[in-house]
Amino acid sequence: MSSQSLEIGSVSIDRSAARYATKLAVIVLCLVLVAQIAVVAVLTGGPLPFTSVNAVPAEPDAAAWDDASTKTVSLDSQQMAQPYGGGSVDNVTVQAVTNDTHVAFRMEWEDPTADTEINEPNAYSDAAAVMLRSGSEPPVAMGAAGEPVNIWYWRSSWQHSESDPGGDMYSYPHPDNQTKPGEAAGNPLSQSSYNRYGQNYYATGYGSLTNAETQPVAANGERTEDGWAVAFQREHDANGEHDASFEEGEQMYLTYAVWNGSAGEANGEKSLSYQFLTLDTDDGTLSAADSDGGDSAEAERNDGVVASATESASWLVGAATNWPAAIVLATLAAWLVSYWRAKP
């Protein structure tokens, strides 16, 4: 018997070819295992869910926003009620984060001018708002009778004005209760100073904006390289009559508006989104709201596609996670092919 061969019954195995085949089989085995791990990771991982943060920030430059998913929302001019106008801001980038006790929304948009002073005629402040309603989707025109909305509002003059944010142009040499009736009456838009930069409002349609008795909303806005970033924060629980409810499983609808002071935008003249987003109150994910009255046939077709893709993915996951037989067969096949190719 040759030292280069091994006799097993009537079968003669070449030692050199067997060693070569074994080495290649080990390499193939390692590659198959790596491929299995990669496929399982891809098929079972999917898009990463938005992770709740430990501390929900009230500042737009907080590190917690770095990993938050973002959506860009298109804005248009307000054309539903007088005064029509606005539309100088094309879009706003929005984010949301949440934990067990708080929720926060962040808005960022381009605006080359920082309009923070309203101390002269025709001077208007930059501003931003989030409109929310839990349960059912409200009319985008600031709600309606029987369908109240909750509005969180921030104004740059409240936070960044170097003069009286209530308006120095009314500072005549007369008693303030005559020249500043809004301030004298306690109008929240006419205060001489602010220690909270977010206001909590309710509305049931245009012309019905009401300052809420409770003010649980915190807001902060900061200049970016090309515009503004604003963060709104609130506890999940609020006791106001129409405060948005962030209860688990409760559908939350929200939309956004921006005012550009240098474009003369104020009140109903604004850039706003006509598309609602929905908020997952469990993890803070923002998604486009489903449109009512859509094509049911198209929806069913899409559902079928999704179901088919889900079934295929499930089958692949099952195959990927039950590969022992495939690994043995692949290794054996690699050994046999390599052996017969190397055998003299």
Side-chain angles (χ1 to χ4, degrees):
M1 181 178 65
S2 170
S3 61
Q4 294 297 317
S5 63
L6 175 66
E7 301 295 333
I8 302 178
S10 60
V11 178
S12 178
I13 299 177
D14 184 273
R15 293 177 182 270
S16 178
R19 284 194 294 269
Y20 174 76
T22 301
K23 291 178 181 178
L24 286 182
V26 170
I27 293 174
V28 170
L29 174 62
C30 293
L31 291 175
V32 171
L33 290 174
V34 170
Q36 178 194 16
I37 294 171
V39 170
V40 170
V42 170
L43 293 177
T44 61
L48 291 176
F50 187 79
T51 304
S52 297
V53 296
N54 292 327
V56 171
E59 300 79 24
D61 56 354
W65 298 109
D66 294 344
D67 296 325
S69 59
T70 63
K71 291 190 73 67
T72 299
V73 178
S74 297
L75 303 177
D76 295 287
S77 62
Q78 190 279 119
Q79 295 294 331
M80 295 177 288
Q82 293 184 346
Y84 306 124
S88 64
V89 180
D90 294 330
N91 53 67
V92 59
T93 299
V94 298
Q95 296 172 284
V97 293
T98 187
N99 62 13
D100 292 338
T101 60
H102 289 73
V103 65
F105 302 100
R106 184 180 187 273
M107 303 172 61
E108 183 173 351
W109 68 96
E110 293 185 7
D111 183 353
T113 59
D115 306 309
T116 63
E117 306 297 334
I118 56 172
N119 55 356
E120 59 184 25
N122 298 319
Y124 301 97
S125 175
D126 294 332
V130 181
M131 187 175 81
L132 312 97
R133 176 178 167 82
S134 51
S136 60
E137 181 177 331
V140 74
M142 296 177 65
E147 298 180 276
V149 294
N150 187 194
I151 296 174
W152 301 356
Y153 180 73
W154 168 89
R155 181 181 283 185
S156 65
S157 62
W158 295 344
Q159 184 172 0
H160 297 287
S161 175
E162 295 181 358
S163 57
D164 182 349
D168 278 351
M169 62 180 173
Y170 299 111
S171 297
Y172 302 116
H174 297 286
D176 282 348
N177 62 354
Q178 295 179 24
T179 59
K180 296 184 178 181
E183 182 178 331
N187 188 325
L189 298 180
S190 304
Q191 299 178 40
S192 60
S193 64
Y194 291 82
N195 54 18
R196 294 179 67 90
Y197 310 125
Q199 290 287 326
N200 191 40
Y201 296 114
Y202 305 141
T204 54
Y206 274 112
S208 66
L209 190 67
T210 303
N211 188 253
E213 291 184 3
T214 58
Q215 293 293 320
V217 178
N220 281 285
E222 299 294 341
R223 286 294 292 177
T224 63
E225 291 183 0
D226 54 9
W228 287 104
V230 177
F232 295 92
Q233 183 216 56
R234 204 203 77 184
E235 291 187 28
H236 285 191
D237 297 328
N239 299 322
E241 182 181 7
H242 301 307
D243 286 333
S245 173
F246 295 93
E247 296 180 2
E248 184 177 350
E250 185 82 4
Q251 184 74 284
M252 176 67 66
Y253 292 90
L254 60 155
T255 189
Y256 301 85
V258 170
W259 289 260
N260 180 5
S262 60
E265 296 178 2
N267 300 319
E269 299 179 70
K270 56 190 174 184
S271 303
L272 79 161
S273 172
Y274 289 90
Q275 171 67 52
F276 278 97
L277 297 182
T278 58
L279 172 73
D280 187 320
T281 53
D282 294 330
D283 62 17
T285 302
L286 292 171
S287 306
D290 294 333
S291 176
D292 293 334
D295 187 342
S296 59
E298 180 69 11
E300 290 179 2
R301 185 184 72 81
N302 290 339
D303 289 344
V305 171
V306 171
S308 177
T310 302
E311 291 176 1
S312 299
S314 298
W315 181 87
L316 288 172
V317 170
T321 53
N322 293 279
W323 275 8
I327 292 173
V328 172
L329 291 175
T331 304
L332 180 59
W335 191 94
L336 290 174
V337 171
S338 302
Y339 175 80
W340 291 113
R341 290 177 63 88
K343 184 179 178 181

